[in-house]
Amino acid sequence: MPTAASRPTTSKKTRVEPLWIGGRPRPAASGKTFETIDPATGDALAVVAEGGAEDIDAAAKAAAKAADGPWGKYSAGKRARVLFDAARLVRERLDALGRLEALDTGKPVAAARGEISYVADVLEYYAGAATKHFGETIPAGNPGLLFTLREPVGVCGLIVPWNFPAVIAAWKLGPALACGNSVVLKPAQETPLSALALARIFAEAGLPEGALNVVPGPGPGCGDALVAHPLVRKISFTGSTAVGREVMRGAASTMKRVTLELGGKSANVVFDDVEDLDHCVEKSLWSVYDNAGQDCCARSRAIVHKKVYDRFVERFAARARRIVLGPQFRKGVEMGPLISRKQLERVSGYVDIGREEGCELLCGGRAKGALGKGFFFRPAVLTGAKPGMRVFREEIFGPVVCIVPFSTEEEAVARANDSEYGLSGSVWTANAPRAMRMAKAVKTGNLSVNSSSSVYLEAPFGGFKSSGLGRELGMKALENYTETKTVFFSEK
Ligand code: NAD
């Protein structure tokens, strides 16, 4: 179970954040609530209605009704208008939404604000895309007119994690609504607040009731009910690979379409001809420590040519030790806490495993003193990892990097690809032909050369191997949310 303990609502005075179903707020059918926790203090932040199977059923029915009702009849242009208006409202409320997201996730407020601004960008992109995704006219073998239509899939279940709650919700809401689907969004129990705020914003932007429903709740009992629900035609899931497998199994019996954005253990390959080592170290450092390492694209395996290895490690560890940890609203803070006590235990546990396996810990570990009350973990650097070690193979999802040396390009490729995952990655070199060879050889969904970026709103994003199935973002994402219908008009 996540951070929050389930319990029946006892006090009538406690303000409870309700579910959002059929265009209005409502309590959970069970009357249960849970607390979301401020990760910087460990204190309760809000009490939220805890959705269960009965609420999922109500939300799926409301969504199906919306698809058959006014929402299903909106033209693409009218859907675009709703998305543009929602984006405008998000921008107008940037400060409040940024603060809310910072409190719920623990991330520095500047980062949270940036993410909310990006949510507006995503909604605008898909508002524009609503009128630009269409079928084709095909020269037919028989006399007549042969063409395809792109039609909405129907009710879509959107399941999101806690690391970028509003952003990942927007990645799914934007294309799903642009294509005319209705949705049931299940945020992670650790971070339900921005999703509930987005539901109200969409209602204000003119989205008809039932087109967007938000049901926070646990995975088992709420998320799995969404995956199993017969009215839901598609699941778009972002989360761990282990749960992704369960989602795929659960979706099979009703033949749902699935998109899975899962875990990663991405490689950061640094060649000895890298142009500016200091720049590379700074970017490499944030490519694993950004969002306190709770990033599916984290380059948590740095694979560095032996000629620059010592300098790279020394500069990386020195900078890691200087990273300023602190609560969301303190000036100058570079890194917030981990999301929960469970996550803190998990990350500390992995560092212990690494040491037991024979790695050397150069810096990092559980924060003490005033930060000890929250879930703070100082960025860690491990050296000496061997290919079979758990810290080098498993996704830790915290600020922990393994740095290992290599000698030849072939060895770098072999090490980079020696992973069940393939989500992101970087290659640092001044040699263009080598960069091209590496771009082809590394088995990953996204690769940057001399850069640590992973995600472009305009380009497909997703993973190879156990990192997932399908692609989000860009125009490609619209394919996830439409069915292709072929129509033939006979001339006779
Ligand atoms: P998680 O898999 O534990 O949970 C993700 C979501 O699934 C939550 O909303 C959770 O309540 C729900 N869930 C849990 N069990 C379920 C079940 N049986 N059926 C249906 N839903 C269920 O992941 P998390 O801890 O919230 O997030 C961290 C993971 O997400 C990491 O592995 C990370 O790499 C991954 N992630 C991937 C991407 C990507 O785009 N590839 C982006 C962000 C995070």
Side-chain angles (χ1 to χ4, degrees):
M1 276 285 289
T3 51
S6 300
R7 61 185 170 86
T9 310
T10 46
S11 162
K12 285 214 173 79
K13 284 185 190 145
T14 315
R15 186 181 131 64
V16 177
E17 291 297 327
L19 314 176
W20 186 267
I21 296 176
R24 48 189 76 79
R26 64 193 247 182
S30 65
K32 278 187 179 174
T33 62
F34 65 97
E35 288 174 340
T36 65
I37 306 295
D38 175 352
T41 61
D43 296 334
L45 183 64
V47 178
V48 181
E50 182 178 299
E54 225 179 302
D55 306 296
I56 289 291
D57 184 52
K61 285 178 176 152
K65 198 169 157 202
D68 289 339
W71 176 238
K73 297 180 181 58
Y74 269 39
S75 66
K78 209 167 162 194
R79 295 198 297 267
R81 198 61 267 152
V82 172
L83 282 158
F84 275 126
D85 284 349
R88 176 180 51 76
L89 291 169
V90 167
R91 280 198 206 293
E92 282 172 17
R93 290 164 207 180
L94 203 58
D95 279 331
L97 289 168
R99 289 179 70 82
L100 187 72
E101 193 77 328
L103 278 169
D104 215 10
T105 58
K107 59 185 80 186
V109 68
R113 225 174 161 275
E115 287 174 24
I116 298 297
S117 170
Y118 173 70
V119 165
D121 294 346
V122 174
L123 298 181
E124 276 166 2
Y125 178 89
Y126 286 108
T131 49
K132 295 164 194 71
H133 184 57
F134 36 75
E136 50 191 355
T137 313
I138 302 153
N142 301 329
L145 190 58
L146 186 60
F147 58 93
T148 59
L149 299 171
R150 305 299 307 222
E151 296 193 347
V153 176
V155 178
C156 299
L158 314 179
I159 303 177
V160 300
W162 43 258
N163 57 341
F164 297 105
V167 165
I168 294 175
W171 284 7
K172 300 179 190 305
L173 286 174
L177 295 173
C179 294
N181 299 281
S182 46
V183 306
V184 179
L185 169 63
K186 197 209 83 63
Q189 225 176 340
E190 291 86 345
T191 55
L193 301 181
S194 54
L196 291 165
L198 281 175
R200 289 175 189 271
I201 282 178
F202 269 100
E204 219 179 301
L207 188 70
E209 63 183 44
L212 163 58
N213 306 275
V214 180
V215 185
C222 184
D224 55 2
L226 184 57
V227 173
H229 201 287
L231 286 177
V232 177
R233 298 289 354 130
K234 184 203 160 59
I235 293 289
S236 177
F237 171 85
T238 300
S240 60
T241 295
V243 175
R245 286 195 182 97
E246 280 181 48
V247 167
M248 208 168 165
R249 268 194 293 273
S253 58
T254 44
M255 200 52 78
K256 288 183 176 61
R257 282 82 184 106
V258 286
T259 309
L260 303 172
E261 295 289 355
L262 308 175
K265 187 79 180 176
S266 296
N268 186 51
V269 180
V270 180
F271 283 92
D272 55 339
D273 61 0
V274 55
E275 238 170 36
D276 178 347
L277 189 64
D278 284 331
H279 172 75
C280 169
V281 166
E282 183 71 13
K283 291 287 177 188
S284 301
L285 179 119
W286 289 113
S287 79
V288 57
Y289 294 152
D290 192 34
N291 208 39
Q294 303 167 123
D295 185 337
C296 52
C297 293
R299 272 71 157 174
S300 49
R301 296 182 298 141
I303 301 168
V304 183
H305 194 276
K306 63 180 184 185
K307 280 195 191 151
V308 287
Y309 177 81
D310 287 343
R311 276 184 287 151
F312 184 93
V313 170
E314 186 197 320
R315 291 177 202 186
F316 195 108
R319 177 69 180 95
R321 288 186 194 100
R322 289 200 312 273
I323 287 178
V324 182
L325 259 67
Q328 303 91 331
F329 302 102
R330 187 180 291 166
K331 225 174 153 209
V333 162
E334 293 179 292
M335 187 187 286
L338 302 181
I339 191 69
S340 62
R341 186 158 302 286
K342 184 176 147 202
Q343 194 65 9
L344 181 63
E345 298 302 336
R346 176 187 155 90
V347 174
S348 312
Y350 265 111
V351 169
D352 293 345
I353 290 169
R355 295 175 84 178
E356 282 158 23
E357 283 179 319
C359 291
E360 188 184 351
L361 177 67
L362 300 188
C363 61
R366 233 176 244 257
K368 302 204 172 65
L371 296 180
K373 202 170 160 254
F375 312 134
F376 289 93
F377 191 90
R378 297 202 173 279
V381 175
L382 290 169
T383 55
K386 298 283 176 290
M389 289 182 179
R390 286 186 63 191
V391 283
F392 199 67
R393 305 201 73 79
E394 297 175 17
E395 184 183 44
I396 298 176
F397 220 55
V400 182
V401 69
C402 290
I403 313 183
V404 297
F406 74 90
S407 303
T408 64
E409 191 177 314
E410 292 69 33
E411 192 189 345
V413 170
R415 285 211 109 172
N417 285 340
D418 184 19
S419 170
E420 72 159 304
Y421 297 110
L423 186 58
S424 193
S426 290
V427 173
W428 297 84
T429 177
N431 179 332
R434 170 183 282 154
M436 288 296 177
R437 286 195 300 275
M438 292 297 291
K440 281 173 143 180
V442 179
K443 293 185 180 5
T444 185
N446 308 267
L447 188 89
S448 304
V449 176
N450 298 329
S451 159
S452 57
S453 67
S454 296
V455 176
Y456 298 90
L457 173 47
E458 309 80 5
F461 172 74
F464 281 23
K465 302 189 266 184
S466 294
S467 288
L469 206 64
R471 295 291 179 270
E472 293 196 301
L473 294 176
M475 297 300 280
K476 194 90 186 150
L478 302 171
E479 289 170 19
N480 297 333
Y481 295 99
T482 45
E483 294 280 16
T484 302
K485 180 184 278 176
T486 301
V487 180
F488 176 68
F489 253 49
S490 174
E491 269 179 29
K492 293 183 186 151

